[in-house]
Amino acid sequence: MKTSNAGMELIKRSEGLELKAYRDSVGVLTIGYGHTFGVKPDDVVTPLQAEKFLRDDLSVAELTVNTSVKVKITQGQFDAMVSFVFNLGAGNFVKSTLLRKLNAGDYKGAAAEFGKWTFAGKKELPGLVRRRAAEKGMFET
């Protein structure tokens, strides 16, 4: 599966677009729509470059979901999990109770897991609360 336009918009809205490198809530250098690989403190990108970084980064998240999920899922469920992986990383996803419950066929239980991932650096962040609620809503459609 590939991320739909709705999934892409959720990620863009959640990440926001930053054309200059900045440190995220846990200190990671970030640019564009949440791109972190190889970012240097003085980096600047164009909106077109940010879009390319996003598409490249999404391919990794899509591959993670496509290879880890063993049950049939909807486009909304796929998009929600790609957003989740994009934000939290493949390692967190493959070890998550969310994935374990989903692969056991417990779709409702998997949906409930989104809300448990709202902390960064031991602090609950309002942006993550909103993002996880949006992902859960997309997962449940």
Side-chain angles (χ1 to χ4, degrees):
M1 296 179 83
K2 295 295 244 179
T3 307
S4 72
N5 288 337
M8 181 80 76
E9 288 308 310
L10 169 62
I11 293 166
K12 283 181 170 182
R13 196 172 50 250
S14 298
E15 294 291 337
L17 174 60
E18 293 290 340
L19 300 178
K20 295 179 182 178
Y22 69 98
R23 293 206 180 269
D24 71 6
S25 59
V26 292
V28 176
L29 276 169
T30 306
I31 201 164
Y33 295 103
H35 179 74
T36 59
F37 181 75
V39 179
K40 296 177 193 73
D42 295 327
D43 283 353
V44 176
V45 296
T46 66
L48 193 60
Q49 289 169 313
E51 187 81 23
K52 181 179 180 338
F53 283 152
L54 175 60
R55 294 199 181 278
D56 291 346
D57 293 342
L58 278 180
S59 67
V60 174
E62 289 168 343
L63 179 64
T64 300
V65 174
N66 280 321
T67 58
S68 302
V69 174
K70 307 301 181 195
V71 295
K72 186 166 177 54
I73 57 173
T74 66
Q75 184 67 53
Q77 290 165 334
F78 179 80
D79 289 344
M81 288 184 288
V82 167
S83 175
F84 185 87
V85 171
F86 184 88
N87 182 237
L88 295 164
N92 284 322
F93 178 68
V94 299
K95 296 183 292 186
S96 71
T97 303
L98 188 159
L99 180 61
R100 185 174 50 75
K101 286 184 176 187
L102 179 64
N103 281 337
D106 182 4
Y107 293 84
K108 187 176 180 178
E113 290 297 311
F114 282 97
K116 296 179 180 177
W117 293 83
T118 58
F119 290 81
K122 298 184 180 185
K123 182 178 179 188
E124 187 168 50
L125 300 180
L128 290 179
V129 172
R130 286 189 299 276
R131 184 178 191 148
R132 297 290 102 81
E135 290 167 348
K136 181 182 181 206
M138 186 170 273
F139 186 89
E140 293 176 323
T141 60

